[in-house]
Amino acid sequence: MTGSLAFRLPKAELHLHIEGTFEPDLIFELAERNGIALPYASVEALRAAYEFTDLGSFLKLYYAAMNVLRTEADFTELANEYLAVAHSQGLVHAEIFFDPQAHTSRGVPFRTVIDGLWSAVQNSASHYGVTTKLIMCFLRDAGPRAALATLEEALPFGDRIVAVGLDSAEVGYPPDAFADVFARARAAGWRAVAHAGEEGPPAYVWAALDRLGVSRIDHGVRSLEDPLLVDRLRAERIPLTVCPLSNVKLRVVDSLAAHPLKRMLDAGLLVTVNSDDPAYFGGYVGENFAAVADALDLSDADLVRLARNSFEASFLSAGERAAYLARVDAAAAAVPER
Ligand code: HPA
Ligand code: ZN
């Protein structure tokens, strides 16, 4: 029963890089449409390269593939494909990361990216039954000056963006350098989130909280190494957007059975389950729910808790959140006890 519940429960996804939903078939289709040669002979050859040893080895391929994204329509199509697949696994709300610097740095205008994504966002509820928000991430390895320039480019589109985030290579790039950029973003009315504690130490999670003023931590699995940090996260109900299949693929954990998700739940942390870069890591949000349910022997009640957490941790208004929570409870009630 738990397996089907993993897919049927209404869910929000709060840690999803839209560029990480770029499936090999669409990569090849857009490469051809845009007249760009790929260094892979076939979809199968590209898929065969999806063997990662760490975050860095993944990011190389992630940035290489997105080179074929060129037009507004490309970005719309990318987002639409994600929404269709994820909705088929129970997704009803998504707060979607995008990496503008990975596009502007190769000559694609900011406006092309935001207009393309915005077109998908505007139609997501009517076309796919999914409400959506956009979170603009800064590439931490590109440094704070580039982040500030990106922030300024984005300000005219402020009402299309709910929050700023921080992603890309983590170790060696502590959050502290981005304190001013994040302060400016928050002064402009945006919320803030940051990747921290994926490969980096608990100190990066503290810095994201204290120096960047984030209201969620993305990943944060290494927080468990620091009991004082765990106390803080629990006391302040700071959400951690955990990505189980990603953590296995990028070797943050040895196996799904060794994943700390259940320990985090048991420690009273507000954890959510997300797919991160589903085209690369072997599963969309429902598949992540099903995989942890199986590997960690989660109960139906655990899955319902995770689905509820996904809305509790979202940037939805109180009214929207209450309506979604009622949908979770209705779906849970429709399932017989095991
Ligand atoms: N970590 C950091 N940066 C990223 C990731 C991730 O898991 N996915 C896409 N960019
Ligand atoms: Zn991520």
Side-chain angles (χ1 to χ4, degrees), residues 15 17 55 58-59 62-63 99 167-169 195 198 219 246 250 276-277 281:
H15 185 153
H17 302 264
L55 175 60
F58 156 68
L59 289 172
Y62 170 79
Y63 292 125
D99 283 331
D167 66 359
S168 200
H195 284 55
E198 178 186 18
H219 291 298
S246 166
L250 302 188
D276 206 6
D277 301 281
F281 299 152

Side-chain angles (χ1 to χ4, degrees), residues 17-66:
H17 302 264
I18 200 63
E19 296 91 345
T21 70
F22 207 3
E23 291 284 353
D25 289 332
L26 187 60
I27 293 174
F28 269 80
E29 190 185 319
L30 296 192
E32 187 170 347
R33 190 160 92 193
N34 293 330
I36 301 162
L38 282 169
Y40 299 93
S42 65
V43 165
E44 292 69 35
L46 175 57
R47 265 193 209 286
Y50 290 7
E51 281 298 328
F52 311 116
T53 52
D54 56 13
L55 175 60
S57 65
F58 156 68
L59 289 172
K60 253 170 88 172
L61 193 63
Y62 170 79
Y63 292 125
M66 67 177 85

Side-chain angles (χ1 to χ4, degrees), residues 34 56 82 95 111 123 137 146 164 167 170 182 189 221 250 290 298:
N34 293 330
Y82 159 68
E95 301 187 354
R111 178 178 271 288
N123 292 319
C137 285
V164 292
D167 66 359
E170 184 184 5
F182 271 62
V221 285
L250 302 188
L298 299 186

Side-chain angles (χ1 to χ4, degrees), residues 204-316:
Y204 286 21
V205 178
W206 285 106
L209 296 171
D210 292 332
R211 305 293 306 279
L212 304 187
V214 300
S215 38
R216 295 199 294 248
I217 295 289
D218 296 314
H219 291 298
V221 285
R222 288 197 58 194
S223 303
L224 287 187
E225 295 168 25
D226 181 343
L228 278 182
L229 178 57
V230 172
D231 287 346
R232 163 104 184 259
L233 294 167
R234 178 177 43 231
E236 297 184 17
R237 282 182 62 74
I238 294 160
L240 302 161
T241 63
V242 172
C243 306
L245 291 175
S246 166
N247 292 157
V248 174
K249 275 283 187 188
L250 302 188
R251 305 197 188 172
V252 169
V253 297
D254 290 337
S255 67
L256 213 48
H259 196 282
L261 178 80
K262 176 75 172 144
R263 278 180 280 139
M264 296 170 91
L265 270 175
D266 291 346
L269 295 175
L270 183 50
V271 286
T272 70
V273 166
N274 308 269
S275 67
D276 206 6
D277 301 281
Y280 294 96
F281 299 152
Y284 286 76
V285 65
E287 289 160 328
N288 270 270
F289 267 71
V292 285
D294 186 42
L296 301 176
D297 203 19
L298 299 186
S299 65
D300 286 358
D302 291 329
L303 291 185
V304 172
R305 159 77 37 215
L306 288 167
R308 289 184 61 91
N309 285 356
S310 73
F311 298 104
E312 300 277 10
S314 73
F315 293 138
L316 289 163

